[in-house]
Amino acid sequence: MIRLENVSKVYRKQNDDIRALDDVDLSVEKGEFLCVKGPSGSGKSTLLLTMGGMVRPTEGKVLVDGADVYAISGHERAVFRAQNIGFVFQMFHLIPYLTVIENVLVPALAAGRKPDRAEAEALLKRFNMTDRLRHRPSELSTGERQRVAMARALLNKPQLILADEPTGNLDPDNTGEVMGYLTEFHGNGGTVVVVTHEELTAEHANRVVHLKEGRIEAE
Ligand code: ADP
Ligand code: MG
């Protein structure tokens, strides 16, 4: 489904080059639940963003179903992302001035389709957020925020979820809940890539690879 071929990412800062990814080869098969484990600073976020078409590699290619993700225009890539990939982040990345239901509907706009409030409400019901539809993110607990972010990630019925330390700010109960939702998505045929430095999260995956200083270590 996704193939990274000799992917390197160098961030250039004045006189300092940071090689966040160093010659990474990695394939993710359809229906896989992959966990990329590594310490802080090992390049996990960069890897996920590169996979998801958000950060162009300095060298190498990212192929999705054989097509080079960085060979198309930025606009085409944005639509492709919205239609095929759900993103979940450690810091939730909800839009503070939008309500819960409006946040969940944002990906519909990005995918170029009409927002459907009934659809978003049904999704939020699954996440037990029915009585919070008109709240702003700042009025929610962290667990609730991540549930809204999960609903948002699922709105466009993606085939792939990319999750960057999705439980990094959650207590054990909410961690279990979020991992349960990801497991359910995977059980229904979805592909999941989670990056984390936590043991607990890695336990849900069916394959774990280790990232160290921008390199994938032997599997
Ligand atoms: P992780 O998610 O594993 O903590 P990151 O991918 O965020 O790792 O970062 C890998 C390395 O790249 C770190 O040394 C970090 O400081 C650096 N880095 C990440 N993003 C940027 C950026 N936008 N500009 C410059 N350096 C960055
Ligand atoms: Mg990170």
Side-chain angles (χ1 to χ4, degrees):
M1 175 174 221
I2 309 181
R3 231 188 110 58
L4 273 67
E5 288 180 354
N6 308 109
V7 166
S8 294
K9 174 68 190 179
V10 179
Y11 294 111
R12 295 189 201 289
K13 294 273 144 163
Q14 282 112 3
N15 308 316
D16 221 12
D17 279 0
I18 298 168
R19 187 166 285 270
L21 295 177
D22 188 7
D23 200 21
V24 170
D25 276 304
L26 182 66
S27 290
V28 184
E29 303 304 329
K30 193 170 165 52
E32 204 167 29
F33 192 142
L34 172 70
C35 174
V36 179
K37 249 189 112 206
S40 175
S42 59
K44 299 183 301 297
S45 294
T46 304
L47 178 72
L48 209 66
L49 294 171
T50 303
M51 257 185 195
M54 316 250 283
V55 166
R56 180 184 292 276
T58 314
E59 292 155 50
K61 277 188 182 166
V62 179
L63 306 171
V64 177
D65 295 331
D68 185 340
V69 170
Y70 293 95
I72 56 178
S73 75
H75 175 70
E76 285 171 318
R77 194 157 50 249
V79 173
F80 171 82
R81 267 200 312 268
Q83 291 176 343
N84 295 284
I85 306 177
F87 289 91
V88 183
F89 303 95
Q90 177 176 5
M91 306 296 266
F92 324 119
H93 290 202
L94 298 171
I95 301 176
Y97 51 84
L98 297 182
T99 63
V100 161
I101 192 159
E102 288 165 350
N103 265 284
V104 170
L105 283 167
V106 165
L109 301 171
R113 62 192 187 89
K114 208 166 154 247
D116 178 346
R117 291 184 83 89
E119 187 187 357
E121 273 185 44
L123 201 47
L124 281 159
K125 192 170 174 210
R126 264 180 61 199
F127 290 94
N128 284 320
M129 292 300 292
T130 299
D131 51 0
R132 295 284 188 280
L133 299 183
R134 270 150 207 94
H135 283 60
R136 315 253 167 209
S138 64
E139 297 161 353
L140 304 175
S141 72
T142 51
E144 287 169 341
R145 284 180 216 179
Q146 198 59 308
R147 270 143 58 194
V148 174
M150 288 282 319
R152 176 182 60 182
L154 293 176
L155 184 80
N156 289 336
K157 302 187 173 63
Q159 39 181 335
L160 170 67
I161 289 186
L162 298 179
D164 189 350
E165 312 224 25
T167 61
N169 279 315
L170 303 181
D171 61 27
D173 280 356
N174 283 301
T175 292
E177 204 169 306
V178 164
M179 292 316 293
Y181 289 128
L182 289 175
T183 303
E184 184 187 328
F185 172 79
H186 174 244
N188 291 330
T191 308
V192 180
V193 181
V194 178
V195 306
T196 184
H197 64 274
E198 296 167 15
E199 282 307 328
L200 255 169
T201 308
E203 279 172 14
H204 293 79
N206 53 26
R207 182 161 70 109
V208 181
V209 299
H210 293 265
L211 192 65
K212 195 181 169 196
E213 293 173 6
R215 299 183 74 96
I216 299 280
E217 301 206 302
E219 285 183 32

